[in-house]
Amino acid sequence: MNPRARRAFFTIALFFTVCAIAGSLLQRRVGAQSAADEGQLRDSLKAFTSVYALVEQNYAEPIDGDRADAAIYDGAIPGMLRVLDPHSSFHDPKDYAAMREQQHGRYYGVGMGIIEENSKIYVQEPFENTPSFRAGIHPGDVIVAVNGTNTDGWTTESVSKALRGPKGTHVQVSMARDGQAKPLAFDLVRDEIPNPSVDLKYEIRPGVGYIHLKVFQETTAQEVIAAIDSFQNLHGLVLDLRGNPGGLVNQAVEICDHLLAKGQPIVSQRGRAFPDEVYTATHGNGGKAFPIVLMVNRGTASAAEIVSGALQDHDRALIVGQTTFGKGLVQSVYNLSDGTGLLLTTYHYYTPAGRLIQRNYEGISDYDYYFERGGALPANASNQEVKLTDSGRTVYGGGGITPDEKFDAPKSNRFEDDLAARDVFFHFAPAYVASHTVDRNFEVNDAVLADFKQYLGTQGVTWSEADFNSSADWMKDRIKDKILTVEFGQTQGLKAHADWDPEIQKALTFLPEAQALEDHAHKVEEEKAVARASGQPTS
C-alpha cells in the first residue's frame, strides 16, 4: 500500500472509530437497537466510504495527505458531533496535546506570553516567578532574535516553539526596548512554567479576601484552598468566577467540599449511557463559615457553574452579576490513535436542588449559541425550571445560573473601544517607564494624562476633551494597570485594576446580604435538626 493510500485508510479508520464510540454510547442510551436500525447505520457508513472514495479518485486536483486529514479532522467528524450537541468535539494531535498541557497547568520554557502586532513579536507579559520575569524582561519588549536568528517573518507559534525546550537548557533571546539604543541580550535557562488557576488573591478590605479564579485545572482546588487559608481572621470572601470557562469537574467538587458542610450534595451527573453519579462533600468545612459573594457573568461556564449552583442551592454564597453561560454537558475523554482525542457528551450536570445547568441548543447556530446567547431563558420564564434552595428561596434552572443580585458590566463608548482596539495602553506603558521613575504608590495624575495625550497624537488617535472627561476614570485605571505591570509584574497590575473595578466594588457592598443569607441558612438547618429529633416531618 503506497503512503497516500495508507494515510487515507488511516483517516477513514479513525472516522469509523469515532462513529463506533458514538454509536456504542447511543445504543446504550436507547437500549438494544433493532436489526433495521443497525442495518441503517451500516448503510450510512458504507455510503460515507463510497463518497470518500469517489472524491479521492475523481476530484479536480489531487487530494494530498493534509487535505485528506482535513476532510476527516475538520469536516466529517466535527460535522457529525455538531449534530449531537455544541460541546462534543474532536481534537487533532496538536490541539489535543495543547488541551492536555493546559489541564496539567505546567510546561517547560521561559515563561512569557507573546503577541504579534505590525509584523513584530511583543512580550505581552513575563509570567511571575519564571526565567523571563527573573531576568528582567518587560511587557512591550520586542523579540528580535532567538539563539542568534533574526525573528523577522516569524509567527507567535514559531517563536513559542523556539523558546520551549527541556528543563535546564539555555536559550539566548535579544529584545528591543523603548529607551534602549541597542537590543538587550538575555541568556535564559528553561524551567517548568506554572500556569496558576488563581491569578490574583489579596485582602481587598480588612478581613475580606478577594480571589480571582480563571480556570479549573489539575492544581485549582489546591490553589483556592491555599488562598483562603492564607487570609488571616477572614470575615468575608469575594470569589470572582467572571469569564471562567470551567475545566476539570473534580476540582470544582473539591472546592465545594472545602466550603460546604460534610454530607451536602455538590452536583449530580445524569445520563443514559452510564449510571447516575452524585458528588457530596466528604470532608466539609468543619464548621468554619464566612459570608461569600460569588461573582459571575455570561462567560462563567461548566465547572464554574457547578461551584456557583452548589453554593447557591445550599445558601452558602450570594451570587451576583449576570446569568452564566449555561454549559451543563459532561464530556468524557477518549484517547484515540495517533495522538488524537474525542470529547463526547455522556452526562448532564444537575445542581443539588435538581436544576439542569445546560441551556437549550436545539436549532441554534454555533454563533448564536456562543456569542448571542441563543437558547437562553429569561429569569421567571414560564417554561423555566423552578426549584428551591435549602432555606426555601426560589431558583431557576435550564438556562445557566441566575444571580441573586443582578447588575450589568459597564458599557464602553466609541472612544474607549477605539483605544482598546489600538492597544494603546500596552504600548504607552513601556514608553512611559523608559523615561520616568515609577514606585508602587504610582497614581495617574494630570501630568501622566498630559503625556498620554501627547502619545495619542503620535499614534494618530483623534480625541476631544469631552472624550477624555467622560472616560477619565477608565483611562486612569488602564494606564495604572499597564505601568505597574511593566515595572513590578502582573500581580501589581491586576491588583490595581481590582481596586478600581466597578463590578468588584459593587460586589463588596453585598457582603451584609451574604452574611444574612448565611445566618438564615444556619437557622433553617437548626430548625430542621430540632424537627428531626422530635420526629416531625421536614422538607
Side-chain angles (χ1 to χ4, degrees), residues 106-279:
R106 62 183 70 89
Y107 65 92
Y108 294 105
V110 298
M112 66 173 77
I114 57 178
I115 56 173
E116 181 179 357
E117 287 187 9
N118 301 319
S119 301
K120 296 180 180 179
I121 304 298
Y122 287 89
V123 177
Q124 189 172 31
E125 60 186 5
F127 306 135
E128 294 188 16
N129 301 314
T130 67
S132 294
F133 185 82
R134 291 190 292 266
I137 291 173
H138 288 178
D141 287 352
V142 178
I143 303 175
V144 296
V146 178
N147 286 330
T149 302
N150 192 288
T151 58
D152 286 346
W154 286 28
T155 64
T156 54
E157 183 178 352
S158 56
V159 171
S160 178
K161 184 177 180 180
L163 294 176
R164 294 191 180 196
K167 181 177 180 178
T169 57
H170 289 252
V171 59
Q172 281 71 43
V173 185
S174 297
M175 299 280 190
R177 179 179 296 175
D178 280 315
Q180 300 293 327
K182 297 180 179 180
L184 304 175
F186 297 91
D187 180 15
L188 305 177
V189 180
R190 297 182 178 99
D191 200 352
E192 181 177 310
I193 306 301
N195 180 25
S197 308
V198 174
D199 60 356
L200 182 62
K201 61 180 189 301
Y202 74 110
E203 194 172 279
I204 194 167
R205 286 185 181 175
V208 178
Y210 170 84
I211 298 174
H212 180 260
L213 178 58
K214 62 182 183 179
V215 72
F216 287 79
Q217 54 193 14
E218 290 180 0
T219 59
T220 298
Q222 177 184 347
E223 292 179 47
V224 172
I225 293 170
I228 293 174
D229 292 345
S230 71
F231 297 125
Q232 302 296 317
N233 197 26
L234 188 63
H235 297 302
L237 176 68
V238 175
L239 180 57
D240 192 346
L241 298 184
R242 291 176 299 169
N244 188 312
L248 300 179
V249 176
N250 67 326
Q251 298 298 300
V253 170
E254 193 172 340
I255 290 171
C256 291
D257 195 339
H258 188 73
L259 297 173
L260 296 173
K262 184 176 181 179
Q264 286 186 313
I266 295 170
V267 67
S268 60
Q269 296 181 168
R270 305 178 196 173
R272 298 180 67 183
F274 302 101
D276 293 351
E277 190 166 4
V278 179
Y279 295 92

Side-chain angles (χ1 to χ4, degrees), residues 7-18 48-49 52-53 72:
R7 187 161 182 171
F9 174 80
F10 168 76
T11 56
I12 295 176
L14 178 63
F15 175 75
F16 286 158
T17 300
V18 175
F48 173 81
T49 306
Y52 187 92
I72 300 296

Side-chain angles (χ1 to χ4, degrees), residues 288-527:
K288 293 187 295 184
F290 42 82
I292 301 174
V293 174
L294 195 154
M295 301 179 67
V296 297
N297 65 8
R298 292 178 178 86
T300 305
S302 192
E305 291 176 292
I306 288 175
V307 173
S308 306
L311 299 187
Q312 185 179 49
D313 284 2
H314 292 303
D315 303 294
R316 183 66 185 88
L318 190 78
I319 313 300
V320 303
Q322 301 105 49
T323 300
T324 62
F325 183 85
K327 196 274 188 184
L329 300 179
V330 187
Q331 282 74 52
S332 297
V333 180
Y334 295 88
N335 299 309
L336 304 178
S337 56
D338 199 36
T340 58
L342 172 66
L343 275 66
L344 188 66
T345 297
T346 51
Y347 294 98
H348 286 78
Y349 292 130
Y350 290 83
T351 71
R355 291 184 285 163
L356 175 66
I357 294 175
Q358 180 65 41
R359 59 189 167 92
N360 177 49
Y361 52 82
E362 297 293 338
I364 298 168
S365 70
D366 281 351
Y367 180 84
D368 287 338
Y369 179 76
Y370 284 105
F371 301 108
E372 297 296 331
R373 286 192 54 78
L377 291 171
N380 307 316
S382 59
N383 59 338
Q384 197 168 13
E385 294 180 308
V386 178
K387 301 291 183 179
L388 299 177
T389 70
D390 289 355
S391 64
R393 296 185 303 132
T394 299
V395 288
Y396 300 93
I401 303 299
T402 303
D404 302 304
E405 298 287 349
K406 289 186 174 183
F407 55 79
D408 290 328
K411 289 183 171 55
S412 59
N413 57 40
R414 178 205 56 79
F415 178 57
E416 293 167 1
D417 290 340
D418 185 33
L419 295 185
R422 293 171 182 260
D423 218 1
V424 295
F425 302 104
F426 172 74
H427 293 290
F428 169 71
Y432 182 89
V433 170
S435 57
H436 296 78
T437 300
V438 174
D439 62 24
R440 293 179 183 272
N441 297 317
F442 171 78
E443 295 293 340
V444 179
N445 54 26
D446 289 343
V448 178
L449 285 178
D451 286 341
F452 183 63
K453 290 178 180 179
Q454 184 177 4
Y455 176 80
L456 293 184
T458 66
Q459 303 303 305
V461 179
T462 58
W463 51 272
S464 66
E465 287 299 331
D467 289 330
F468 255 77
N469 292 336
S470 64
S471 301
D473 289 341
W474 179 85
M475 287 188 299
K476 288 179 180 180
D477 166 64
R478 268 63 181 177
I479 293 171
K480 183 177 180 179
D481 174 353
K482 297 303 182 186
I483 287 177
L484 289 178
T485 297
V486 170
E487 192 67 16
F488 302 108
Q490 183 188 31
T491 298
Q492 288 300 314
L494 291 174
K495 184 178 177 182
H497 176 67
D499 286 337
W500 171 85
D501 189 333
E503 291 181 85
I504 295 176
Q505 300 309 311
K506 180 79 171 177
L508 287 166
T509 67
F510 289 112
L511 278 169
E513 285 86 346
Q515 181 66 67
L517 180 66
E518 180 78 19
D519 294 341
H520 182 62
H522 282 303
K523 181 179 179 181
V524 170
E525 185 54 39
E526 289 172 359
E527 292 172 349

